[in-house]
Amino acid sequence: MNAQPFTSESYSGDAGESAWQDVLRSFGMQSLRARIGPPSHATALSRLSSAGVRLGKFSADAQTLRGLPSRAGLPLLVMPVENSTVLAFGDEQQIVPAGQLILAPRGVDWQVQFQRGLRAVVLSVPAEAFRGRKVPPLAACQPRIFDAEGLPDILARTAHATAGALDRLSEPEWEAVAQSAAELLLALSAELMTAAADPSSSRAALLQRLYATIERSIGGTDISIADIAQAEGISERYVQKLFEGTGESFSHYVRERRLQRAWHDLANPAEAAVPISEIAYRCGFADSAHFSRLFRERFGLPPRELRRREADRQTQGTMSSGQRGWPQEALVQLRSRQAKGAADTRRVVLREDGEPATAPSEAPTRHYLPVQAQHVHWGYFSRSLEPLIEIASGDIVTVETLTQHASDDPARMIEGDPGAESVFHWTRTAKAVDRRGAGPLDASVFGRGAGEGFGVHICTGPVAVCGAQPGDVLEVHILDIEPRPCRNPDFSGQVFGSSVAAWWGFHYSEFLNEPHPRETVTIYEIIADADEPYAQAIHSYRWEPQTDPFGVRHVLYDYPGVLVRPHTVTLRKNVLEGVRIPLRPHFGVIAVAPREAELVDSVPPAYFGGNLDNWRLGKGATVYLPVSVPGALLSIGDPHAVQGDGELSGTAIECSMTGTFRVTLHKKADIGGTELADLTYPLIETPENWVLTGFSHPNYLAEFGANGQSEVYAKSSLDLAMRDAFRKMRRFLMATKGLSEDEAVALMSAAVDFGITQVVDGNWGVHAILSKRLFSQGGRTAGEKGISIRPEG
Amino acid sequence: MNKHHLATHHLPATPETVHWGYFSRTLKPVLTLKSGERAVIETITHHANDDHERMIAGDKAAEEIFLWTREQKTLRRRGAGATEGPFTYGAGEGLGVHLLTGPIAIEGAEPGDVIEVRIIDAYPRPSANPAYKGRFFGSNPSANWGFQYQDLIEEPKPREVVTIYELDIGEAVVKALYSYRWTPQTDPDGIVHPTIDYPGVRVDHATIVKKEGILAGIKVPARLHFGTMGLAPAEADFVSTIPPNYTGGNMDDWRITKGARMYYPVAVPGGLFSCGDAHASQGDSELSGTAIEISLTGEFEFILHKQDRLEGTILEGLTHPLLENDDVWSVYGFSVANYLAELGPDHQYEILKRSSLDNAMRDAFRKLRRFLMTVHKLSEDEAISLMSVAADFAVTQVVDANWGVTGSIRKSIFAAR
């Protein structure tokens, strides 16, 4: 499970308090809040292992924590950080300086008072963490304080270091660390018993040694009481007696441990390739049919089923850790196979007896690009794509684009529309646009489908521009944007869009309400002909696993263009009732082909444009893109009816639209001294402003080389994007406005506005807006407020 | 509700009515107002000594406040740091720099309540030097805490540069007059300030070289606002004015201007409102470390919202500053939402290591989600969808230790609700 952040800031009033108590309760504690006065405040970061080990780092207002009684498990480890605390038990009170460890058994009533603010690391290990291995009966021991020396020191360091890295550890790393911490806590807990010198505890200690011996010899097919007794130098009878005292026979205990061990190995993804019979054998079961029966009796499911469930869970875990695009390992494999050319980038796949999807189109004679299967490339950019048309500088081209989210509501956004039907056509036997994304065609990474959905946008194009060469700049000016009306008679003439709160959204790691995580699709109607055009929600539904025509099940929204079958989802009406969102029609993707790689994921924007997701790129705006391959190869897609700065949930209101563009080529030789000189990034111009686009990694393909398409997702940050935007604006002011560095910095502080473009496209964006008014000679415009001096008196 | 204000009070800036570089729950209010009353409050920029001739000379109040000779220093403590020597920088150690007027107590304000501050107007403070009579000046240092400081491309590196501006109130624009590179300045107590590390040190213009003709022809539209407005926090006796936090403070958002209403959660009895750090203009990010720092006089109206009356209003569940104007509501996300509570005893230093837009974005997301769910009664899914398609997140500042991201939602989208 991923690290869970908690902050009371997310909640209103008492809801925050009770959510905080929930966090504490999961650790087996509660807060006896000594309110110093609101606003009360609490934050925590915690993580739970598959075995139930929970580690957390807390900071909150002054308060007292108390153990919740009767939870089975090891004593809680509480380590005060920075401030000392007071441990109260019975009539005793002890001061615990920061850096010491408190072991607080769960069966007795103790309190830890954080008088100067709660700052602590807490480790909770339930009995189940040891999968049936016996742990000593410690519930009734007294709490004890340890100095950080020897074993306690090792435990403290492990817990501190882990708490500091909770959100950065991968799933397998976290599981390994959590299990080690549990073992360390178990070892230290044994000292609580030795402190109490009564006969029962010495018996418990002996029993503990017997358990340890059994653990070491569990792989043998035959563990006898005699062997164990001999190893400990005691009589068989005594061994039996000790076990009887625990209410469980020796043989039953051994079998339980073996089954648990097998469960653990079966659930381990690293052992997924080991045959089940071999796992059974290594756990002491010579007969695998016998093993399967016992396993099923014990756990209620056959070994094979457990393995399948665990594999599913693992896949989901990887997904929800939030990385889109190529996984690192797959890229490594790809390199070792040395990918062949990309001749296959655009093809119609036909299976067996299928008929051709669509006849090849005639070369357009006018600059009008209708959308259909042969006119789009889906989810990737490529320098190798054959251009659909070649145009001259200054030409005007009208381009139909489709949203890849039309499949979220096929009745409203696909049916009856020949262009959309052609692109989305996908049956058991034919898929009009096979490759969707820059991944392998054979879907050998995740098995989602051709291209693996490493890139999702339906792009119309490319359009070649006559004479364009690397080093030139392509100007794309948006003359008009028209929404694409529905052609289904049921909704004729209406316009629809979809917005998905998806697994790559900024919110996905922290839901407040159950179930979490979840993906939600909201369908909007676009009212484009009102005086002030707006969007309003029609209904929403939770994403349910969809099986595509080739039989692949999509548990998450992980592959574009999978038609959502209406009967599989439950529509929620009355969504965002009365809320009208003013439109900001724009194209999310305007790109020229990048030079660095054959196939480039369409999701992360970079120097070549691409998925800019900036709503300022609407009618009347212009984007200037640095050309990096001959002909430039312009593609357009990802139309949005409206988006906010940030694009928080992962998508805008995605809505098919048609744009009319004037495309102008600026030759390298002609742009010295203009705003376009030395342009190495997408530059947006609106009637009022220059908008410069900063990215976490301005050219991630060059920066990370072969690993770029994976690394960019892992290493995105607004801090880096802010720095990039700052550097670009400084350069722009110095190079094109002739300012010194000091002037540029001063002007940026006084008059340039930095905003957040998006935090969901792998390569995060911060834009810098420079008002053209700063440089115009006119003063205040009509209607602007003047400044008055305060009258005396 | 059309409640007329009851009375307008006047709070001039004097040595008795200002405190320098810190918020404090221990300060005695200099004025106590009833809910609904107005006050005209003078503020003086802590950067006035960057050009003493233009921004202090002849202005009696400013002269007194900034007075610092070997024998006498009117405002000894500047910052929340040590007040017993030996000092590295000076009394208060410059741990907090803003010269604030206040505090003002609001009668009956208790922790849990919310104080609304309406900005009725803001007036620039004219130069009182006969040579510049009736003109308005401000200063914009590119300082060592600026985003650019470790990332300069021209020599010498690093460097601090002060640009002096003039505000043209007729055109409502600001124009640069001249700039100079900061040179080590020795204060009257003999401490040398090689960088801008202590507020109110008078720059000896004999030690600097003025550069004229800078930013020629460039007119920055004026955005008069108060960079620092807020209430006293409860967590410590003396708190630096630099990092903004849950009771407001150094928000550095130019939208906190005429026509805006700010709402602050009350943490101590009376609330204890202070303001200052006025700006003639600032861009989103305040990149160089400062805005165009200028002295302004503000007219404010104060309204107390009692805790038991918040339910069902936009203030329900408010634990952070909130802005409202004619067009939007804005919440303020910080790198650390309440650094005083979260970072322990060394919070003033620890916050410097936590500056991050990523965390500020996360905080802004959480706050806006809460606002939409609590105030507009949206489900979590509705709130998330709406935030993606209709909320705008912007960089407030990247220079105040506790970095800021503003999340804004337009009021008009709810008009039909």
Side-chain angles (χ1 to χ4, degrees):
Chain A
M1 210 171 163
N2 291 321
Q4 296 294 308
F6 166 85
T7 167
S8 52
E9 293 292 323
S10 295
Y11 303 86
S12 284
D14 293 345
E17 180 70 26
S18 80
W20 171 235
Q21 292 287 9
D22 288 346
V23 171
L24 293 173
R25 193 171 307 119
S26 70
F27 281 84
M29 299 186 292
Q30 68 180 120
S31 167
L32 311 174
R33 199 94 187 206
R35 278 211 150 152
I36 298 184
S40 55
H41 186 88
T43 61
L45 184 67
S46 63
R47 199 161 175 177
L48 175 66
S49 84
S50 61
V53 177
R54 206 183 278 270
L55 181 70
K57 193 174 186 179
F58 300 124
S59 76
D61 295 338
Q63 56 193 283
T64 295
L65 299 183
R66 176 188 191 180
L68 289 170
S70 77
R71 261 181 66 119
L74 296 189
L76 274 181
L77 171 69
V78 180
M79 296 190 293
V81 181
E82 285 174 26
N83 294 332
S84 62
T85 63
V86 174
L87 170 67
F89 175 67
D91 298 333
E92 276 181 54
Q93 296 214 329
Q94 263 182 288
I95 293 174
V96 187
Q100 293 196 335
L101 301 79
I102 303 170
L103 246 57
R106 294 169 192 260
V108 295
D109 192 14
W110 49 264
Q111 295 185 2
V112 184
Q113 299 157 359
F114 293 86
Q115 290 158 338
R116 278 186 288 163
L118 161 58
R119 295 178 47 69
V121 169
V122 180
L123 174 67
S124 159
V125 179
E128 310 88 79
F130 301 99
R131 304 213 185 280
R133 219 165 98 205
K134 290 279 180 177
V135 300
L138 293 160
C141 294
Q142 292 201 1
R144 188 166 152 199
I145 298 162
F146 290 89
D147 285 327
E149 287 169 7
L151 180 61
D153 182 41
I154 294 168
L155 175 56
R157 284 168 193 265
T158 304
H160 272 297
T162 311
L166 277 182
D167 48 356
R168 296 193 298 277
L169 292 174
S170 71
E171 193 67 27
E173 286 168 351
W174 157 243
E175 288 290 336
V177 175
Q179 209 51 43
S180 319
E183 294 289 346
L184 290 172
L185 184 62
L186 177 63
L188 186 61
S189 299
E191 293 200 18
L192 285 187
M193 277 190 320
T194 54
D198 61 288
S200 71
S201 65
S202 70
R203 243 191 343 262
L206 177 56
L207 197 49
Q208 206 47 38
R209 285 207 300 279
L210 294 182
Y211 291 149
T213 310
I214 292 169
E215 286 307 303
R216 284 194 295 276
S217 41
I218 214 154
T221 45
D222 193 32
I223 317 174
S224 68
I225 292 196
D227 297 340
I228 302 295
Q230 196 182 2
E232 278 300 323
I234 53 176
S235 74
E236 289 180 41
R237 177 73 199 110
Y238 191 41
V239 172
Q240 265 168 346
K241 210 172 145 212
L242 281 172
F243 271 92
E244 276 162 18
T246 69
E248 188 177 26
S249 74
F250 174 83
S251 59
H252 187 267
Y253 177 75
V254 170
R255 191 170 70 202
E256 171 67 12
R257 283 303 304 140
R258 285 173 160 169
L259 285 169
Q260 290 283 357
R261 180 73 68 89
W263 191 95
H264 186 258
D265 287 356
L266 286 166
N268 182 355
E271 308 238 6
V274 180
I276 290 176
S277 58
E278 191 179 323
I279 286 176
Y281 186 77
R282 80 158 76 120
C283 294
F285 297 100
D287 175 353
S288 63
H290 176 63
F291 164 69
S292 286
R293 205 183 65 244
L294 287 177
F295 192 91
R296 190 179 195 142
E297 276 169 13
R298 173 64 184 85
F299 297 110
L301 79 178
R304 194 173 310 281
E305 176 63 14
L306 168 76
R307 205 173 227 189
R308 200 191 60 76
R309 278 194 203 176
E310 282 303 306
D312 272 7
R313 206 182 56 83
Q314 286 293 333
T315 329
Q316 289 218 32
T318 328
M319 301 285 289
S320 61
S321 69
Q323 184 160 336
R324 291 168 99 180
W326 281 90
Q328 194 70 254
E329 314 80 63
L331 273 179
V332 171
Q333 285 168 18
L334 181 72
R335 275 205 301 290
S336 65
R337 285 207 308 264
Q338 268 319 323
K340 48 205 176 302
D344 57 0
T345 48
R346 185 174 355 204
R347 61 168 196 178
V348 179
V349 71
L350 294 176
R351 294 196 167 188
E352 297 115 45
D353 48 57
E355 80 278 12
T358 325
S361 71
E362 293 183 36
T365 52
R366 298 167 51 221
H367 294 326
Y368 187 95
L369 270 184
V371 72
Q372 48 143 297
Q374 268 72 27
H375 288 178
V376 302
H377 49 105
W378 195 329
Y380 63 94
F381 305 114
S382 175
R383 60 193 180 199
S384 303
L385 283 173
E386 205 58 47
L388 302 175
I389 49 169
E390 188 178 61
I391 64 170
S393 175
D395 283 1
I396 289 172
V397 54
T398 297
V399 182
E400 294 181 2
T401 69
L402 291 177
T403 172
Q404 63 276 8
H405 287 280
S407 52
D408 297 343
D409 193 338
R412 288 184 171 79
M413 294 190 271
I414 298 177
E415 283 167 30
D417 180 333
E421 284 181 342
S422 142
V423 171
F424 282 89
H425 182 75
W426 188 359
T427 63
R428 203 168 48 80
T429 51
K431 183 180 177 193
V433 184
D434 189 27
R435 173 180 280 287
R436 303 179 186 184
L441 269 183
D442 61 5
S444 53
V445 181
F446 290 126
R448 297 172 188 164
E452 291 284 22
F454 298 165
V456 297
H457 308 98
I458 302 174
C459 303
T460 307
V463 172
V465 179
C466 189
Q469 289 297 330
D472 299 343
V473 170
L474 196 67
E475 173 185 344
V476 183
H477 176 67
I478 304 170
L479 294 165
D480 200 10
I481 303 183
E482 284 290 331
R484 187 179 183 93
C486 180
R487 305 276 284 275
N488 179 341
D490 293 349
F491 308 103
S492 189
Q494 288 174 274
V495 178
F496 299 101
S498 167
S499 184
V500 183
W503 58 269
W504 61 86
F506 190 77
H507 64 287
Y508 196 68
S509 60
E510 47 172 309
F511 283 99
L512 297 175
N513 297 338
E514 295 293 342
H516 38 108
R518 63 182 182 273
E519 292 178 299
T520 304
V521 179
T522 307
I523 304 296
Y524 288 86
E525 179 168 6
I526 312 299
I527 313 295
D529 51 4
D531 286 346
E532 287 175 25
Y534 62 92
Q536 67 184 18
I538 301 173
H539 56 237
S540 72
Y541 60 86
R542 192 164 300 149
W543 180 264
E544 297 291 346
Q546 298 292 325
T547 304
D548 70 32
F550 289 175
V552 176
R553 191 158 175 268
H554 301 274
V555 177
L556 291 174
Y557 204 116
D558 62 3
Y559 193 72
V562 176
L563 302 186
V564 173
R565 288 155 303 145
H567 65 274
T568 61
V569 297
T570 310
L571 297 186
R572 227 167 321 158
K573 306 277 184 190
N574 309 327
V575 176
L576 288 169
E577 239 179 327
V579 172
R580 290 182 170 189
I581 303 158
L583 298 191
R584 292 168 169 177
H586 62 282
F587 290 94
V589 170
I590 300 183
V592 292
R595 63 183 167 270
E596 285 81 2
E598 199 62 55
L599 286 170
V600 176
D601 182 337
S602 70
V603 171
Y607 76 92
F608 52 83
N611 192 23
L612 294 169
D613 282 337
N614 195 317
W615 57 265
R616 292 161 189 82
L617 208 38
K619 182 173 174 173
T622 301
V623 61
Y624 300 92
L625 299 170
V627 174
S628 56
V629 302
L633 300 185
L634 173 68
S635 298
I636 292 163
D638 191 29
H640 293 168
V642 53
Q643 186 207 298
D645 277 339
E647 205 185 13
L648 190 125
S649 79
T651 64
I653 296 183
E654 315 272 332
C655 166
S656 298
M657 299 193 295
T658 296
T660 300
F661 306 87
R662 188 180 61 230
V663 181
T664 311
L665 180 66
H666 299 273
K667 294 299 291 178
K668 187 180 168 72
D670 305 331
I671 52 182
T674 74
E675 276 89 357
L676 305 182
D678 199 25
L679 187 73
T680 56
Y681 55 88
L683 171 66
I684 297 171
E685 183 181 10
T686 70
E688 301 83 25
N689 300 313
W690 294 101
V691 183
L692 280 64
T693 53
F695 304 110
S696 299
H697 303 282
N699 182 350
Y700 71 93
L701 294 168
E703 184 181 345
F704 298 123
N707 291 340
Q709 305 202 42
S710 175
E711 289 278 294
V712 68
Y713 286 101
K715 299 196 171 154
S716 269
S717 136
L718 284 178
D719 294 322
L720 291 173
M722 175 71 205
R723 188 143 303 280
D724 185 42
F726 152 63
R727 289 176 177 153
K728 282 169 174 166
M729 183 53 88
R730 174 174 59 186
R731 197 174 95 193
F732 184 83
L733 291 170
M734 292 174 72
T736 73
K737 301 293 176 190
L739 301 186
S740 72
E741 182 177 25
D742 292 343
E743 290 174 300
V745 169
L747 193 62
M748 271 189 273
S749 198
V752 172
D753 292 322
F754 290 80
I756 291 161
T757 325
Q758 49 74 25
V759 288
V760 293
D761 292 337
N763 203 6
W764 291 6
V766 166
H767 53 257
I769 304 176
L770 176 68
S771 166
K772 293 181 185 173
R773 246 181 80 195
L774 297 172
F775 305 95
S776 72
Q777 286 316 297
R780 169 154 69 97
T781 55
E784 247 175 331
K785 289 179 205 156
I787 297 172
S788 47
I789 314 175
R790 193 169 67 89
E792 290 302 317
Chain B
M1 191 174 70
N2 187 15
K3 199 168 73 180
H4 285 284
H5 57 279
L6 306 168
T8 298
H9 300 258
H10 185 236
L11 185 61
T14 69
E16 291 72 38
T17 63
V18 299
H19 50 107
W20 200 329
Y22 58 89
F23 286 98
S24 177
R25 62 187 178 195
T26 68
L27 284 173
K28 285 228 160 31
V30 294
L31 182 65
T32 299
L33 299 179
K34 291 186 172 60
S35 178
E37 288 189 319
R38 288 188 177 186
V40 170
I41 306 173
E42 294 180 7
T43 74
I44 296 181
T45 175
H46 53 291
H47 285 283
N49 244 338
D50 294 343
D51 187 337
H52 186 274
E53 287 303 297
R54 283 182 173 80
M55 293 191 270
I56 294 179
D59 185 329
K60 193 162 160 293
E63 283 179 344
E64 274 181 32
I65 287 166
F66 279 84
L67 176 73
W68 184 1
T69 63
R70 204 170 307 164
E71 296 78 33
Q72 207 184 344
K73 183 180 177 192
T74 308
L75 288 166
R76 202 173 149 270
R77 174 176 209 154
R78 302 177 184 185
T83 50
E84 297 298 328
F87 299 117
T88 313
Y89 307 109
E93 296 289 18
L95 196 65
V97 296
H98 308 95
L99 181 55
L100 304 180
T101 308
I104 293 174
I106 307 302
E107 249 179 59
E110 290 295 331
D113 298 344
V114 171
I115 289 177
E116 173 183 352
V117 183
R118 297 184 179 185
I119 305 174
I120 308 301
D121 212 338
Y123 317 101
R125 185 181 183 96
S127 177
N129 183 339
Y132 304 106
K133 198 160 177 56
R135 293 166 68 184
F136 308 91
F137 300 100
S139 168
N140 165 238
S142 293
N144 60 75
W145 59 89
F147 194 75
Q148 80 292 341
Y149 192 65
Q150 300 298 339
D151 197 349
L152 290 169
I153 49 179
E154 290 180 350
E155 296 295 341
K157 293 184 239 180
R159 65 184 180 279
E160 293 176 305
V161 176
V162 177
T163 306
I164 302 297
Y165 285 83
E166 179 164 4
L167 167 69
D168 178 331
I169 61 167
E171 271 198 274
V173 297
V174 198
K175 294 178 237 181
L177 286 179
Y178 68 92
S179 71
Y180 60 86
R181 191 171 304 150
W182 182 268
T183 54
Q185 299 294 322
T186 306
D187 72 30
D189 295 338
I191 294 181
V192 178
H193 302 275
T195 63
I196 306 173
D197 58 19
Y198 192 74
V201 175
R202 177 170 175 174
V203 175
D204 177 357
H205 278 218
T207 68
I208 57 156
V209 181
K210 285 189 186 179
K211 198 169 172 185
E212 315 269 353
I214 53 153
L215 292 167
I218 291 177
K219 296 176 181 176
V220 176
R223 292 171 168 175
L224 301 190
H225 63 283
F226 294 88
T228 303
M229 283 173 36
L231 308 180
E235 285 78 1
D237 281 349
F238 290 89
V239 175
S240 164
T241 56
I242 292 172
N245 206 23
Y246 73 102
T247 52
N250 191 22
M251 311 291 293
D252 283 331
D253 181 5
W254 58 267
R255 294 162 191 83
I256 305 178
T257 186
K258 181 174 174 172
R261 304 165 171 198
M262 286 297 295
Y263 302 93
Y264 303 103
V266 175
V268 301
L272 300 185
F273 173 85
S274 301
C275 67
D277 185 29
H279 298 161
S281 196
Q282 188 209 292
D284 276 341
S285 87
E286 203 186 18
L287 190 120
S288 81
T290 66
I292 300 176
E293 312 278 330
I294 197 168
S295 299
L296 293 180
T297 296
E299 184 170 351
F300 305 92
E301 183 172 321
F302 298 86
I303 297 162
L304 176 64
H305 299 274
K306 292 301 289 178
Q307 184 168 18
D308 56 4
R309 307 294 289 274
L310 303 181
E311 206 179 309
T313 75
I314 61 161
L315 305 181
E316 184 177 342
L318 189 71
T319 59
H320 52 83
L322 173 72
L323 172 140
E324 178 178 15
N325 61 28
D326 289 349
D327 303 320
V328 299
W329 289 291
S330 296
V331 300
Y332 294 89
F334 301 121
S335 299
V336 183
N338 179 349
Y339 79 99
L340 295 171
E342 284 176 61
L343 301 185
D346 280 342
H347 49 77
Q348 320 251 29
Y349 300 98
E350 196 61 27
I351 185 63
L352 296 170
K353 301 179 212 156
R354 304 296 189 93
S355 310
S356 151
L357 281 180
D358 292 323
N359 292 338
M361 175 72 196
R362 194 146 287 288
D363 189 35
F365 150 63
R366 290 169 178 160
K367 285 171 173 167
L368 195 53
R369 173 175 59 182
R370 188 207 62 78
F371 179 77
L372 292 172
M373 291 173 70
T374 310
V375 174
H376 294 286
K377 309 293 176 222
L378 301 184
S379 72
E380 184 177 22
D381 290 343
E382 291 175 305
I384 287 170
S385 187
L386 194 63
M387 274 191 278
S388 196
V389 303
D392 293 319
F393 292 86
V395 176
T396 334
Q397 48 74 24
V398 288
V399 293
D400 296 335
N402 204 6
W403 291 5
V405 165
T406 315
S408 302
I409 189 106
R410 280 160 290 174
K411 293 160 86 172
S412 62
I413 67 174
F414 298 103
R417 203 172 156 86

